[in-house]
Amino acid sequence: MRILIHDRNEEFGQALKEKYDRIIRADGKYAPCQGCFHCWTKHPAACGMKDSLHEICRVIGQADDLVIVTENWYGGYSPAVKNILDRSIGTSTPMSTYRAGEMHHTLRYGRHSSWSVLVYGETAENEKKTWKLLAEKNAINDGFRSSEVSFIPDTEELEARAQ
Amino acid sequence: MKTVFIDCSPKKRLSASGFIAGFTAAFVAGKKKKEKLRTKADYGRVLEAVKDADSVVFSMPLYVDGVPSHVLPFLREMELYCKESNPALNVYVIANNGFIEGRQNEPLMQVMENFCARSGISWRGGLGIGGGVMMNVMRIMLTVFFGLAILNTILAVVREGSFQAGPLLGFGKQALEVLFFGCGIVAFDLWLAFCINRQKPFGKRYTRVMLPSFVFILFADIFFVIASFFQGGMFRGWLAKKKPAD
Ligand SMILES: Cc1cc2nc3c(=O)[nH]c(=O)nc-3n(C[C@H](O)[C@H](O)[C@H](O)COP(=O)(O)O)c2cc1C
């Protein structure tokens, strides 16, 4: 399955509809994670907050290839995108294991394939360095085999690059 | 000298970030303010507190290898304020994460450093603590044990009319054990407090609960088994590949 998470407008997703099995628009109309871990310990793979992200981990968990289109915020994701990632830890289970020589959680949906990030907005050199590390670490943490980051200064090009 | 400690955990009570912020503050001299940054409603108040500060200490949990999403818009507001007013601010960060390796906080530290660069304020370094949940459990248990020791001591006086050192000695032993597992955290944190007092750079340091990772993983698994048993998740498809509704 190929899944896109993006923080652009509705039309952006519409234009890419054919290319993805699922498109998640990070519109920011949802609550941030409260850190309760109930998506592991109480009602597995579901959040206690019943907004549009209520069961989002069940969707993201199905991804083989995940593409994320995000504005650059200090070398990391925009708040709307990061909010979705924070609310998705149900893609893992509470049990722990080793991955890449570090402690991580076991994967509810098994291994995934590629984690690609398309970063737009002005991005400084130090931020690019952070991005590379962050995507690499995200891929390990969430059980993706590879990670890739591309910087797209011109938002006009985003649609073509996200094909 | 004024130092503002910002607990960035979304938890209302008993956050690891709040604990370690308070612990650090205990060793910092001068005027101190502790703020909680949980929702957008806190932004204005926290920004006000930052305005006449010399140093700001962000204490936050690691969320998916980065800064929790609810903190980011605050950073943007603070950046705008800093660009406008050019305050001479020192920024320190304490990050704690669930996994045992404190080093997993590195991307978060870099994001915070990049935030300082954009805002034109001084990045003074950060401390990343691995095993944050365990640190938090240990300090909560230690408080409970202390309460029990005091209670037992009083009960002994009431019942037998004499002071018994047993319960307090028992607590002393428990405190030493916790101190052993937490020695890295305490040592690095005291060093951080020393640097905050002198407004000096601390660098980027990582420490952890002093346990080998395979033992830590065992404890973490036991912790989640117990939590999932009592909260019922274990009986609701605990590890199942749950399908979306549509
Ligand atoms: C949404 C979410 C994401 C998390 N991501 C990570 C992670 O990537 N790595 C890690 O080591 N711990 C992770 N944790 C664990 C927290 O960092 C840990 O529980 C921390 O001690 C919480 O601190 P607090 O009590 O101050 O909120 C995550 C927790 C939550 C709720």
Side-chain angles (χ1 to χ4, degrees):
Chain A
M1 215 185 193
R2 196 158 182 251
I3 296 180
L4 170 71
I5 301 175
H6 73 89
D7 59 7
R8 307 290 292 169
N9 59 17
E10 200 69 65
E11 290 78 63
F12 183 81
Q14 279 297 327
L16 289 164
K17 190 157 99 228
E18 304 297 317
K19 304 281 173 188
Y20 290 88
D21 299 294
R22 203 56 204 245
I23 295 181
I24 302 165
R25 178 165 174 239
D27 59 10
K29 292 179 187 151
Y30 33 69
C33 171
Q34 299 295 302
C36 64
F37 289 134
H38 285 173
C39 54
W40 282 342
T41 60
K42 200 167 176 182
H43 27 65
C47 180
M49 294 184 285
K50 299 241 164 26
D51 54 16
S52 59
L53 300 184
H54 171 51
E55 290 185 347
I56 199 69
C57 66
R58 298 184 182 198
V59 177
I60 296 175
Q62 316 280 334
D64 299 304
D65 301 300
L66 183 67
V67 178
I68 303 176
V69 171
T70 176
E71 188 184 0
N72 169 49
W73 276 58
Y74 312 117
Y77 303 94
S78 67
V81 169
K82 184 62 174 31
N83 197 336
I84 294 180
L85 298 179
D86 289 354
R87 290 277 297 276
S88 302
I89 61 166
T91 56
S92 301
T93 82
M95 294 293 97
S96 294
T97 182
Y98 288 101
R99 253 198 314 281
E102 295 170 339
M103 182 181 170
H104 290 284
H105 288 291
T106 64
L107 304 165
R108 187 180 295 280
Y109 298 93
R111 283 279 205 162
H112 311 263
S113 188
S114 66
W115 179 288
S116 328
V117 192
L118 301 178
V119 181
Y120 68 91
E122 183 246 319
T123 310
E125 282 311 310
N126 49 328
E127 292 173 334
K128 287 185 179 170
K129 221 182 86 214
T130 304
W131 263 117
K132 292 258 148 68
L133 178 74
L134 180 61
E136 212 172 279
K137 292 295 173 189
N138 285 154
I140 295 170
N141 209 353
D142 286 3
F144 284 74
R145 287 196 181 82
S146 66
S147 70
E148 191 190 2
V149 186
S150 317
F151 302 100
I152 324 260
D154 184 359
T155 49
E156 301 285 305
E157 276 177 36
L158 268 178
E159 199 184 297
R161 295 292 296 273
Q163 291 283 334
Chain B
M1 186 183 90
K2 181 184 168 187
T3 310
V4 178
F5 295 84
I6 309 177
D7 168 8
C8 302
S9 170
K11 291 180 192 156
K12 281 203 188 90
R13 277 172 287 120
L14 294 178
S15 68
S17 306
F19 161 70
I20 195 70
F23 186 82
T24 314
F27 300 98
V28 171
K31 218 170 131 198
K32 287 172 280 196
K33 197 139 201 270
K34 216 179 139 193
E35 294 287 352
K36 277 188 79 66
L37 187 76
R38 288 186 53 243
T39 68
K40 282 206 157 44
D42 297 319
Y43 289 5
R45 197 192 70 249
V46 179
L47 197 57
E48 272 316 303
V50 165
K51 283 183 180 169
D52 60 343
D54 301 287
S55 301
V56 178
V57 182
F58 287 92
S59 182
M60 62 177 81
L62 180 71
Y63 273 18
V64 196
D65 306 303
V67 174
S69 69
H70 71 277
V71 180
L72 294 167
F74 174 79
L75 296 182
R76 181 55 52 86
E77 279 193 20
M78 187 164 157
E79 177 198 338
L80 292 178
Y81 159 74
C82 291
K83 279 181 173 155
E84 226 173 72
S85 314
N86 271 319
L89 260 183
N90 302 298
V91 174
Y92 298 87
V93 172
I94 309 172
N96 85 91
N97 64 318
F99 298 139
I100 184 68
E101 301 92 0
R103 224 162 255 290
Q104 292 201 30
N105 290 297
E106 172 67 20
L108 178 154
M109 290 295 173
Q110 290 192 15
V111 165
M112 291 305 289
E113 190 171 359
N114 298 340
F115 151 72
C116 291
R118 278 198 186 253
S119 309
I121 49 183
S122 306
W123 164 254
R124 295 295 192 202
L127 173 60
I129 301 172
V133 178
M134 187 165 205
M135 168 186 79
N136 205 24
V137 169
M138 286 195 306
R139 67 99 180 188
I140 292 168
M141 272 170 38
L142 203 60
T143 317
V144 173
F145 289 154
F146 183 66
L148 286 177
I150 296 286
L151 193 72
N152 282 330
T153 309
I154 294 171
L155 280 180
V157 172
V158 174
R159 282 212 198 106
E160 287 149 52
S162 69
F163 173 78
Q164 309 257 319
L168 286 177
L169 283 177
F171 171 74
K173 197 169 142 265
Q174 285 155 343
L176 280 179
E177 279 162 13
V178 166
L179 203 63
F180 171 76
F181 292 120
C183 63
I185 300 173
V186 171
F188 276 94
D189 199 63
L190 290 180
W191 180 9
L192 173 67
F194 177 85
C195 292
I196 297 171
N197 277 318
R198 286 180 170 59
Q199 302 188 26
K200 275 175 42 162
F202 172 72
K204 251 186 308 194
R205 319 267 162 200
Y206 297 105
T207 185
R208 63 193 266 176
V209 170
M210 291 297 153
L211 272 178
S213 62
F214 68 95
V215 179
F216 184 87
I217 287 182
L218 188 70
F219 280 147
D221 284 354
I222 292 171
F223 174 83
F224 278 116
V225 164
I226 294 174
S228 306
F229 179 85
F230 284 104
Q231 295 179 355
M234 196 177 260
F235 314 106
R236 299 186 189 115
W238 193 40
L239 309 175
K241 292 188 165 82
K242 299 267 189 182
K243 291 255 161 30
D246 53 281

